C-alpha cells in the first residue's frame, strides 16, 4: 500500500503519521521527492482502514500496490535509485562502463587488463574468481587467490571491482569487493539473496536464464526485504529457441524494468550474444534504450582466455566502444 502525502506536509506531521502506522506492525518506507513524499507500507496491510487514512488532512491519496514486489516497485519510490560503489554512481542519469575478463587468470593478466580498460574509459573492473561452469571439469576460477589478485588490480588501477559470489560460505571473503555479483544461475538462490540482504554491499543481480522480469524483481525484493536497497539489475540474455547466439538479448527488459522499478538496469551483451563481433552493436543498442550501464568481457588475448574467449573483446575494441557509447548517450539526452 502507498500513501501519497500532500505538498507542504511538515516533517513533524509525517513522523507523527509514521509512528501511528508502525503501531499496526507495518514497515514504513519513506520516499521524499522534490514534488511529493510517498510512504510505502509493507506488511499485513489488511488491517489498515483505507478510508480513514485517506481522510487525514495531510494525505493526498492511498493506493493498494497489486504487484507482489513492493520495495523494488517504482510506486513506492518514484525517483530513480542511485547506487554508489566506491567513487562510482549508477542509475538516475549516472552511467557505468563495467569491463574486464570473464575470469581472473593471473596477476599480469588482471592488472594489465585493469590498466588498459581504465585508460579506455571503464568505471568498474570485472573479473570472476569463483566461476559457475556448466561442466565440473572446466576451469572453476582461481577462487581465493583470484580474489586476492583482483584486489591487487583494484589497488593498482584505482577502479572499484565487481566479482561473483557463488554461496553464502564465502561471503566473508568479499569485504573489500565494491559490488557483489549474483550470477544468472543463482538468481533464485533465496538463502544467498537473504544473506546479501543483511549486508549494505551493492549487489548486481543478473536475470536467470529462463526467468521472467517479475521473478527478477521478486529476487531483488528478497534482498531488499532484509534491509539492503543497493541493487543493480542486469539483463544478460535469456534462453530461447535461437541457437545462433548464446542467449537472446531481451532489450525490452530495460524500458520495462524502468517502468516497474526505481532500481538501475545494466546490460551484459557478452553473455547475451556469446560472440565478440556482436558485442559492440548490442552494447550501443543497450545505451540507446536507456540502460544505466554496460558490462562487457574484455581480454588481452581472447583466443587464449581460460573462459568465454569467444565473447571477449580486446582492450582496443573496448576503448572504441566506450567512445561510441558516449556518443549514443549524448544523442539520446
Ligand atoms: C559472468 O558474468 O561471469 C557470468 C557467469 O554471467 P552469467 O551469470 O550471466 O552467466
Ligand atoms: Mn563469462
Amino acid at each position: 500500500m502507498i500513501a501519497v502525502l500532500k505538498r507542504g506536509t511538515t516533517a513533524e506531521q509525517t513522523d507523527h503519521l509514521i509512528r501511528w502506522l508502525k503501531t499496526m506492525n507495518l514497515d514504513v518506507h519513506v520516499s521524499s521527492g522534490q514534488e511529493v513524499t510517498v510512504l510505502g507500507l509493507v506488511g499485513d496491510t489488511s488491517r489498515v482502514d483505507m478510508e480513514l487514512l485517506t481522510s487525514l488532512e495531510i494525505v493526498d491519496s492511498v493506493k493498494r500496490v497489486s504487484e507482489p514486489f513492493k520495495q523494488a516497485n517504482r510506486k513506492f519510490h518514484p525517483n530513480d535509485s542511485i547506487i554508489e560503489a566506491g567513487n562510482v554512481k549508477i542509475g538516475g542519469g549516472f552511467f557505468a562502463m563495467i569491463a574486464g575478463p570473464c575470469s581472473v587468470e593471473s596477476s599480469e593478466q588482471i592488472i594489465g587488463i585493469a590498466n588498459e580498460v581504465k585508460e579506455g574509459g571503464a568505471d568498474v573492473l570485472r573479473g570472476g574468481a569463483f566461476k559457475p561452469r556448466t561442466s565440473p571439469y572446466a576451469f572453476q576460477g582461481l577462487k581465493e587467490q583470484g580474489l586476492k589478485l583482483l584486489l591487487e588490480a583494484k589497488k593498482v588501477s584505482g577502479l572499484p571491482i565487481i566479482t561473483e559470489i557463488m554461496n553464502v560460505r564465502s561471503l566473508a571473503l568479499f569485504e573489500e569487493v565494491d559490488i557483489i555479483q549474483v550470477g544468472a544461475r543463482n538468481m533464485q538462490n533465496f538463502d544467498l539473496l537473504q544473506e546479501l540482504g543483511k549486508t549494505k554491499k551493492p549487489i548486481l543481480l543478473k536475470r536467470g536464464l529462463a526467468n521472467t522480469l517479475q521473478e527478477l524483481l521478486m529476487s531483488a525484493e528478497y534482498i531488499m526485504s532484509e534491509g539492503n536497497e543497493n541493487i543493480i539489475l542486469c539483463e544478460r540474455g535469456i534462453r530461447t529457441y535461437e541457437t545462433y547466439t548464446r542467449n537472446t538479448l531481451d532489450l525490452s527488459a530495460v524500458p520495462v524494468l524502468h517502468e516497474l522499478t526505481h532500481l538501475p538496469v545494466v546490460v551484459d551483451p557478452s553473455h547475451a550474444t556469446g560472440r565478440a563481433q556482436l558485442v559492440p552493436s548490442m552494447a550501443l543498442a543497450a545505451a540507446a534504450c536507456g540502460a544505466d550501464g554496460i558490462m562487457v568481457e574484455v581480454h588481452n588475448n581472447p583466443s587464449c582466455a581460460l573462459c568465454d574467449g569467444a565473447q571477449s573483446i580486446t582492450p582496443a575494441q573496448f576503448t572504441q566502444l566506450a567512445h561510441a557509447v558516449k556518443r549514443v548517450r549524448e544523442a539520446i539526452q
Side-chain angles (χ1 to χ4, degrees):
M1 183 179 279
I2 60 163
V4 181
L5 304 188
K6 285 189 184 146
R7 273 181 207 209
T9 301
T10 64
E12 204 185 343
Q13 288 173 308
T14 309
D15 285 349
H16 188 73
L17 177 58
I18 292 173
R19 274 201 301 277
W20 177 62
L21 292 165
K22 284 189 173 170
T23 62
M24 289 182 250
N25 261 341
L26 297 171
D27 268 345
V28 183
H29 296 258
V30 186
S31 174
S32 314
Q34 275 173 342
E35 298 285 306
V36 286
T37 296
V38 175
L39 302 185
L41 316 184
V42 185
D44 179 8
T45 54
S46 61
R47 289 173 46 207
V48 180
D49 181 340
M50 277 180 77
E51 279 176 22
L52 175 62
L53 187 56
T54 312
S55 71
L56 299 179
E57 203 186 319
I58 60 168
V59 174
D60 184 57
S61 58
V62 178
K63 267 183 258 166
R64 290 211 179 267
V65 175
S66 49
E67 293 89 356
F69 49 95
K70 309 292 178 190
Q71 297 184 52
N73 204 310
R74 193 177 276 286
K75 289 178 188 152
F76 263 50
H77 189 292
N79 297 320
D80 290 341
S81 280
I82 299 172
I83 309 301
E84 294 189 39
N87 53 356
V88 172
K89 290 182 180 164
I90 306 177
F94 294 98
F95 186 91
M97 289 294 282
I98 306 172
C102 180
S103 315
V104 178
E105 297 172 7
S106 69
S107 169
E108 299 71 39
Q109 177 244 19
I110 190 67
I111 289 175
I113 296 174
N115 287 332
E116 287 196 271
V117 295
K118 183 177 184 187
E119 189 66 30
D123 305 292
V124 179
L125 174 68
R126 65 151 286 150
F130 297 92
K131 295 302 305 175
R133 302 306 300 277
T134 303
S135 165
Y137 309 117
F139 174 58
Q140 304 286 309
L142 296 181
K143 304 191 172 145
E144 284 92 333
Q145 178 59 16
L147 266 184
K148 270 192 202 145
L149 298 178
L150 191 60
L151 288 170
E152 211 177 300
K154 166 179 169 166
K155 212 152 88 193
V156 174
S157 66
L159 289 174
I161 54 170
I162 175 169
T163 193
E164 180 167 353
I165 192 164
M166 295 261 282
N167 60 58
V168 178
R169 293 189 305 280
S170 56
L171 182 56
L173 299 169
F174 285 67
E175 203 146 312
E176 291 171 69
V177 169
D178 300 283
I179 305 175
I180 300 180
Q181 174 173 320
V182 174
R185 290 152 192 84
N186 264 318
M187 188 202 90
Q188 288 189 313
N189 180 340
F190 300 120
D191 275 355
L192 177 61
L193 300 177
Q194 282 176 323
E195 283 309 308
L196 294 172
K198 292 175 190 151
T199 74
K200 287 285 168 229
K201 283 270 180 216
I203 309 295
L204 181 130
L205 179 63
K206 289 188 128 187
R207 181 180 183 181
L209 275 68
N211 285 111
T212 63
L213 295 175
Q214 179 158 310
E215 285 164 345
L216 173 63
L217 290 170
M218 290 310 291
S219 290
E221 194 76 16
Y222 259 95
I223 302 172
M224 297 179 95
S225 65
E226 295 293 331
N228 187 356
E229 297 178 344
N230 299 312
I231 302 170
I232 303 157
L233 302 170
C234 179
E235 164 60 39
R236 45 77 73 208
I238 48 174
R239 189 159 279 183
T240 67
Y241 51 77
E242 180 56 69
T243 54
Y244 188 77
T245 47
R246 184 175 178 181
N247 291 288
T248 298
L249 179 56
D250 177 13
L251 272 186
S252 60
V254 177
V256 171
L257 288 170
H258 278 156
E259 190 181 308
L260 296 175
T261 181
H262 50 91
L263 299 171
V265 184
V266 159
V267 170
D268 169 354
S270 307
H271 291 89
T273 62
R275 302 157 66 97
Q277 68 270 34
L278 300 177
V279 167
S281 48
M282 290 299 94
L284 296 182
C289 72
D292 301 287
I294 284 159
M295 178 155 84
V296 284
E297 288 188 338
V298 178
H299 200 282
N300 51 349
N301 190 356
S303 58
C304 295
L306 294 182
C307 185
D308 286 350
Q311 66 192 35
S312 300
I313 59 173
T314 62
Q317 289 168 327
F318 173 73
T319 304
Q320 260 190 352
L321 175 61
H323 283 299
V325 165
K326 218 168 157 198
R327 289 203 301 278
V328 167
R329 282 187 38 75
E330 281 161 8
I332 61 163
Q333 257 153 29

